[in-house]
Amino acid sequence: MSRRRYIRHKLLYGLALVLGIMAVLLAGTCKGLFSYRQTMKSMNSKLAELRAVGDLHEAVRKLAVVTQDDAATPLSRREILEAVSDIERLAEQYREHLAQTLIRHRDSDNGREERALLARLRRQLQAIKEQAEQRRSIVLVPNAPMRPSTDEKLASLVRDALLTVATLRDHLHTDLDRRIMAGQDAYRTTLALVLGSSVVGVVLLLGLARLAYRWIAAPVRLLHDKVRQLSQGEFGTRIQIQTGDEIEELAEAFNVMTDRLEAMYRDLARQVNERSRQLIRSERLASLGYLAAGVAHEINNPLASIALCSEALERRIEEALAGTASPDDTATIRRYLRLIQQEAFRCKGITQKLLEFSRVGERQRREVADLAELVRHVLDLVSHLQAHQGKKIAFEVQSRPRVEVNPAEIKSVILNLTVNALESMDPGGQLTIRLGQRDSTAELVFQDTGCGMTPEVLENIFEPFFTRSRTGRGTGLGLSISHRVITQHGGEIEASSPGPNQGSTFIVRLPLAGAVPQTASLAQAA
């Protein structure tokens, strides 16, 4: 047996994969946020430096304007020194901003270019101050303005300082542009990482969902369906699952259980079959005495008539042979002979009914038949009987159900019910036959306007040899045979009547083709 991959292991693998995807997404998001935060902090520091450099550039530019050769109002030495002091103060402020940037590690080249330019600016400012001091020794009047024509070197030094500050400002602008581009590159990288991880995560989650359906949902649903089939008595059902986990073991255990249940069911069916046969044999033996008593009671009357007629006939024949018989005796002899013949045929009819009664329930070939056609065939036959004269039969077809029956037996039942209804009615009466369908059964209703039945008759109507026929010619076996035929076909027959002289109703129900109940099938098999 291959190594089992249990569901908990599969779930752990899936959980680890999901956690890995989430970790990658979280790392990409954190990296993007960290890069954005670092870029913003660096840009804030550089913007502060840029503002300081802007102030410094503005101060140097003003000094350069007033130290030009064509300046309208040249500065004095003191004003130049004050302007240089202001420039040095602003340069010191920028140096402090730069120091803060370097302390916080927000400059990639450690401020090398900025420090070099600051050092150059410091030397240039020192040179400007020295040049201003040299002019002091030449000018006789204290604080006298210096003319541009005499300050060409000073103006050149100031221009150099302005160029240095401009270079520093351009360098900061370039550094800001570079940082913005680096931030954009980091943004694109982070976006690509997050989007790629998201796509991969979605694909993996879809794959995990498919695997979860294949490993868990589908096998569980299959198990549910098979268990429901088993609960409905389908013991031959089996489950084939190849998941390599606990569900496969459960399916194997289910198959073993169904094998045992099927074996137990076969054994129980065999025992039920055997007990049913024993019960039927016992019932037949028990009913044999009842049938014998009924036969003796029914045949006793015609036999007594035959015996009496035979004794009387014997005397008449002796007198006829002696030549002393009168014409009336001859008529009597003929009447007695007819009585003997009728009673003999009556005994034959009783024994024929008993034979039919004993054969009812034997397994015979059945076929799918149209119940409406069977009724029509019987009605065509009944139309020629004397009992039909002066009476009406209405056949109402609400639907044409098809049933799986023995047509000859069902025709016999229909004929028996029809003839009984006709014999129970006076001329002018009407028999209504309705054919319909209810749920999975065909329903045939016989409703007549005849003599009706009392509760006592209804209670014993289907008992063998029980008859209350108005003609007095019935054997009491017709309805009993009809009841057994319908029962053997998995159906049922009911009789009802409001009371004497209020008509009767017989309802026959038969299962539709393909819908024979299991109990009926077992009874037929028994």
Side-chain angles (χ1 to χ4, degrees):
M1 180 181 293
S2 60
R3 184 174 178 270
R4 295 287 187 184
R5 294 169 295 175
Y6 294 104
I7 294 179
R8 60 179 179 273
H9 297 156
K10 297 176 182 178
L11 293 177
L12 287 176
Y13 296 152
L15 180 61
L17 189 58
V18 171
L19 291 177
I21 296 170
M22 294 178 62
V24 172
L25 288 173
L26 182 61
T29 304
C30 292
K31 180 179 181 301
L33 292 174
F34 179 78
S35 300
Y36 172 78
R37 182 171 178 271
Q38 289 298 110
T39 301
M40 292 302 298
K41 288 183 177 181
S42 299
M43 290 180 65
N44 288 335
S45 298
K46 289 300 177 180
L47 285 174
E49 293 181 24
L50 189 59
R51 285 192 294 270
V53 170
D55 295 337
L56 180 61
H57 181 270
E58 183 64 22
V60 176
R61 188 186 63 80
K62 290 180 180 180
L63 180 60
V65 170
V66 298
T67 55
Q68 296 295 326
D69 294 339
D70 56 351
T73 306
L75 294 177
S76 64
R77 177 185 59 79
R78 183 176 59 81
E79 291 174 339
I80 292 175
L81 291 177
E82 289 177 356
V84 171
S85 297
D86 291 335
I87 293 172
E88 288 179 341
R89 179 178 56 79
L90 293 173
E92 186 61 29
Q93 291 180 1
Y94 170 73
R95 187 180 295 109
E96 291 175 359
H97 286 296
L98 178 62
Q100 291 296 324
T101 301
L102 296 178
I103 290 173
R104 296 172 181 173
H105 304 287
R106 296 177 181 175
D107 199 322
S108 58
D109 59 354
N110 202 23
R112 183 175 61 255
E113 186 69 20
E114 291 87 345
R115 286 184 295 176
L117 292 173
L118 278 177
R120 184 195 303 174
L121 179 62
R122 191 183 308 113
R123 290 193 300 270
Q124 291 170 345
L125 292 177
Q126 186 63 33
I128 292 172
K129 289 168 64 177
E130 291 175 357
Q131 184 64 26
E133 291 294 337
Q134 289 177 4
R135 294 299 182 189
R136 180 181 180 184
S137 60
I138 298 174
V139 178
L140 299 177
V141 182
N143 297 325
M146 296 181 291
R147 304 306 302 167
S149 57
T150 60
D151 296 328
E152 293 179 0
K153 187 174 181 180
L154 179 61
S156 176
L157 291 174
V158 173
R159 286 194 299 270
D160 292 340
L162 181 61
L163 179 62
T164 300
V165 175
T167 302
L168 179 59
R169 185 186 62 183
D170 294 338
H171 174 73
L172 291 177
H173 278 293
T174 303
D175 192 30
L176 276 175
D177 294 336
R178 180 179 58 80
R179 290 178 185 276
I180 291 174
M181 293 180 63
Q184 292 176 349
D185 292 338
Y187 166 77
R188 285 191 291 268
T189 301
T190 303
L191 182 61
L193 178 62
V194 171
L195 289 179
S197 301
S198 300
V199 171
V200 173
V202 170
V203 172
L204 290 177
L205 286 177
L206 291 177
L208 287 175
R210 179 176 177 83
L211 290 177
Y213 176 81
R214 178 181 174 184
W215 289 339
I216 301 175
V220 168
R221 185 177 64 180
L222 180 60
L223 278 172
H224 177 266
D225 294 338
K226 296 300 183 180
V227 169
R228 184 171 57 185
Q229 293 177 9
L230 180 63
S231 67
Q232 295 174 354
E234 298 180 13
F235 297 103
T237 182
R238 296 293 182 273
I239 303 178
Q240 297 297 330
I241 296 178
Q242 302 294 333
T243 57
D245 51 24
E246 296 95 332
I247 296 182
E248 183 176 346
E249 295 178 353
L250 183 61
E252 294 173 356
F254 177 86
N255 292 334
V256 173
M257 180 186 67
T258 52
D259 290 336
R260 293 180 178 177
L261 285 176
E262 188 176 12
M264 293 173 61
Y265 179 77
R266 286 197 299 265
D267 184 64
L268 288 175
R270 181 187 59 79
Q271 294 181 20
V272 168
N273 233 354
E274 184 176 352
R275 297 296 186 274
S276 298
R277 288 195 296 269
Q278 294 176 359
L279 180 61
I280 291 172
R281 287 195 295 269
S282 300
E283 289 180 350
R284 287 180 177 177
L285 291 174
S287 62
L288 184 59
Y290 177 73
L291 289 174
V295 170
H297 178 271
E298 291 295 322
I299 296 181
N300 185 52
N301 292 331
L303 289 180
S305 299
I306 292 173
L308 292 174
C309 291
S310 298
E311 291 177 358
L313 186 60
E314 181 180 5
R315 291 194 302 269
R316 297 295 193 284
I317 291 176
E318 290 177 354
E319 294 176 356
L321 292 176
T324 60
S326 64
D328 293 336
D329 291 337
T330 304
T332 302
I333 291 173
R334 291 194 182 95
R335 183 165 57 84
Y336 283 170
L337 287 175
R338 283 196 299 271
L339 286 175
I340 292 172
Q341 185 180 17
Q342 290 174 358
E343 294 301 319
F345 278 115
R346 183 180 173 189
C347 291
K348 180 181 179 182
I350 292 173
T351 56
Q352 182 66 27
K353 288 290 185 179
L354 286 174
L355 183 60
E356 293 177 2
F357 184 80
S358 64
R359 290 179 177 177
V360 168
E362 295 181 359
R363 184 68 179 180
Q364 300 191 20
R365 184 178 62 84
R366 295 182 180 179
E367 60 185 42
V368 177
D370 187 349
L371 197 55
E373 290 297 325
L374 298 181
V375 176
R376 292 190 186 279
H377 290 166
V378 173
L379 294 182
D380 291 340
L381 177 63
V382 171
S383 63
H384 302 288
L385 298 179
Q386 184 177 0
H388 184 265
Q389 302 302 320
K391 302 168 187 177
K392 298 179 181 179
I393 298 179
F395 183 33
E396 300 176 0
V397 180
Q398 300 173 352
S399 62
R400 300 178 66 91
R402 299 180 65 82
V403 292
E404 186 176 359
V405 296
N406 184 321
E409 292 183 349
I410 299 302
K411 285 182 181 180
S412 174
V413 172
I414 298 171
L415 178 62
N416 189 20
L417 294 175
T418 303
V419 172
N420 287 348
L422 292 175
E423 290 180 348
S424 69
M425 295 188 298
D426 296 325
Q430 178 171 332
L431 169 63
T432 302
I433 303 175
R434 288 189 297 272
L435 175 61
Q437 180 177 335
R438 179 178 299 178
D439 297 332
S440 61
T441 60
E443 189 173 80
L444 192 59
V445 180
F446 296 81
Q447 186 174 11
D448 61 61
T449 60
C451 60
M453 293 179 285
T454 62
E456 180 186 0
V457 174
L458 285 174
E459 185 177 355
N460 301 282
I461 190 68
F462 296 113
E463 292 296 330
F465 304 109
F466 180 85
T467 178
R468 290 295 185 269
S469 174
R470 296 198 312 172
T471 61
R473 294 177 296 180
T475 61
L477 290 175
L479 289 177
S480 179
I481 294 174
S482 298
H483 183 274
R484 292 189 63 180
V485 168
I486 297 301
T487 303
Q488 293 298 328
H489 280 78
E492 57 183 13
I493 180 171
E494 297 178 0
S496 62
S497 176
N501 301 319
Q502 299 184 39
S504 304
T505 302
F506 286 82
I507 302 176
V508 176
R509 298 185 182 93
L510 290 170
L512 298 178
V516 178
Q518 186 178 5
T519 55
S521 299
L522 291 176
Q524 292 169 3

